[in-house]
Amino acid sequence: MDVTYKRDESAGYLTNWAGRLFVRAIERRLAGGSAGPMPVFFALADGGTMSQTALARWASVEQPTMANTLNRMERDKLIERTPDPNDRRSALIGLTRLGRQRAGEALASAQDVNALALEGFKPAERDVLFALLHRIARNLDADAQESALPALPVSKPRTSRRS
Amino acid sequence: MDVTYKRDESAGYLTNWAGRLFVRAIERRLAGGSAGPMPVFFALADGGTMSQTALARWASVEQPTMANTLNRMERDKLIERTPDPNDRRSALIGLTRLGRQRAGEALASAQDVNALALEGFKPAERDVLFALLHRIARNLDADAQESALPALPVSKPRTSRRS
DNA sequence: TTGAATTGCATAGTGTGCTATCCATATCAT
DNA sequence: ATGATATGGATAGCACACTATGCAATTCAA
């Protein structure tokens, strides 16, 4: 049997590879910065604040991942946390002055890289790409939800199940 | 100015996100395994051997990344290294029996996940996706090459430059 | 043939992502 | 009001990606 597993014919491989190229292209332009804070920059660039959990959801990363990113950003004086007056567990996260400056630069770099990556694309091709990626994300998200079905929490019999 | 940085309209964000979803979908199916070894599995599944550098190039990752992956795979008894008789710096890497078994399972999972991700895609749409991702990769690769221009190695003037 | 450049690999250090847990606070039901 | 549950966050531990270096072996040029 012919076992030429052509990576170039695997949607997963291709997508992942392109994703890595995007990150590196951005980071080359950030001069000392990295790509992790970008979603935070984008979420807070307008001067607003959000909780850690909200940021994690916004960026589609898990909470510990966002916690790490925010810790690095705090270390680098890009964000500050102020206690949430309505929930003592939570803090509201906002950009510092430096953070807003970096956010501006990061946004510009992101636009540059997006434009560069899509160089030669017709507007229709761009739209098709986005639509196809969204469909992939929807399909894979559905699979994740399905796998996450919590083996029927049998802890205690209940008269009714939420769902 | 309206600063709604819609992540869903950034090619980089979307591609990266989809890439992460692919990796997680695969890893859910690998039961204890992770996705890093996949390119190695695919490259060596036919029973052949390759050097570390060749594997890194094949997988489009940097050499230290491949070195780490191979170390983990060796630790897990998935590969073995035999000295290259023609080059004492190098070793030839091949799959163990266990590695070949895992490679088979990994290939099956990859096919499942690819099929799932592209569920509902017409064949033409699949082809378009691949073509667009390839174009993005080409564009970003070109940018990487350009950035890597090594500040003109002035060490010694030469009569001619290779290029 | 010998000195310079190249190549194959290893190591150190960091960032970004994940899962699995745990604590503290809030919220909900009884 | 109290006990169970849910939620926000922290921490530990790992995988995998990168850059920057350094060493040893090979290759190339003079």
Side-chain angles (χ1 to χ4, degrees):
Chain A
M1 54 174 164
D2 176 21
V3 246
T4 53
Y5 302 118
K6 310 192 79 113
R7 65 174 204 189
D8 288 350
E9 290 170 12
S10 163
Y13 178 82
L14 269 180
T15 308
N16 213 264
W17 181 37
R20 274 165 32 225
L21 288 173
F22 266 111
V23 170
R24 281 198 273 169
I26 291 244
E27 290 183 343
R28 277 196 303 273
R29 267 147 250 253
L30 254 37
S34 56
M38 298 256 316
V40 179
F41 283 154
F42 290 180
L44 304 180
D46 61 358
T49 61
M50 288 176 76
S51 74
Q52 183 183 109
T53 297
L55 282 170
R57 275 201 264 268
W58 196 87
S60 293
V61 298
E62 299 300 321
Q63 169 261 323
T65 298
M66 183 52 69
N68 264 338
T69 297
L70 292 177
N71 284 341
R72 281 188 297 268
M73 292 180 75
E74 190 172 38
R75 176 198 67 192
D76 297 340
K77 310 241 185 293
L78 300 174
I79 57 162
E80 41 193 17
R81 314 188 203 223
T82 59
D84 182 338
N86 299 318
D87 190 333
R88 273 188 299 158
R89 294 167 302 180
S90 189
L92 294 174
I93 291 143
L95 294 180
T96 61
R97 168 181 284 280
L98 177 62
R100 281 190 296 276
Q101 182 188 318
R102 293 282 190 279
E105 300 163 3
L107 173 61
S109 297
Q111 287 173 335
D112 286 354
V113 168
N114 279 334
L116 181 111
L118 300 186
E119 199 161 77
F121 279 51
K122 302 194 203 70
E125 289 175 328
R126 198 197 85 118
D127 293 346
V128 167
L129 173 72
F130 285 16
L132 296 180
L133 287 177
H134 268 120
R135 281 166 64 188
I136 288 176
R138 205 161 39 239
N139 284 340
L140 292 176
D141 244 352
D143 180 61
Q145 297 310 319
E146 208 167 302
S147 306
L149 288 183
L152 295 184
V154 229
S155 50
K156 273 184 192 163
R158 249 85 184 62
T159 49
S160 74
R161 299 290 329 137
R162 68 190 177 313
S163 95
Chain B
M1 54 177 162
D2 176 22
V3 245
T4 53
Y5 302 118
K6 309 193 75 116
R7 65 174 204 190
D8 289 350
E9 289 170 12
S10 162
Y13 178 82
L14 269 180
T15 308
N16 212 264
W17 180 39
R20 281 190 284 128
L21 288 173
F22 266 111
V23 169
R24 281 198 275 168
I26 291 245
E27 290 184 343
R28 277 197 302 273
R29 267 147 252 253
L30 255 38
S34 56
M38 298 256 318
V40 179
F41 282 154
F42 290 0
L44 304 180
D46 62 356
T49 60
M50 290 176 75
S51 74
Q52 182 182 112
T53 297
L55 282 170
R57 274 201 264 267
W58 196 88
S60 294
V61 298
E62 300 300 319
Q63 170 261 322
T65 298
M66 182 54 69
N68 266 336
T69 297
L70 292 178
N71 284 342
R72 281 189 297 267
M73 291 181 75
E74 190 171 38
R75 176 200 65 192
D76 298 339
K77 311 242 185 296
L78 299 174
I79 57 161
E80 40 193 18
R81 315 187 202 223
T82 58
D84 182 338
N86 300 318
D87 190 334
R88 272 188 301 158
R89 294 169 301 179
S90 190
L92 295 173
I93 290 142
L95 293 180
T96 61
R97 167 182 286 278
L98 177 61
R100 281 191 296 276
Q101 182 188 319
R102 292 281 190 279
E105 299 162 3
L107 172 61
S109 296
Q111 288 173 334
D112 287 353
V113 168
N114 279 334
L116 180 108
L118 301 185
E119 199 162 78
F121 278 52
K122 301 195 206 74
E125 290 175 326
R126 199 198 83 119
D127 292 347
V128 166
L129 174 72
F130 284 16
L132 296 179
L133 287 176
H134 268 119
R135 282 166 64 188
I136 288 175
R138 205 161 39 241
N139 284 341
L140 292 176
D141 245 352
D143 180 62
Q145 297 309 319
E146 210 167 298
S147 307
L149 287 183
L152 293 184
V154 229
S155 49
K156 273 185 192 164
R158 252 101 178 49
T159 50
S160 76
R161 299 291 331 136
R162 71 190 174 312
S163 90

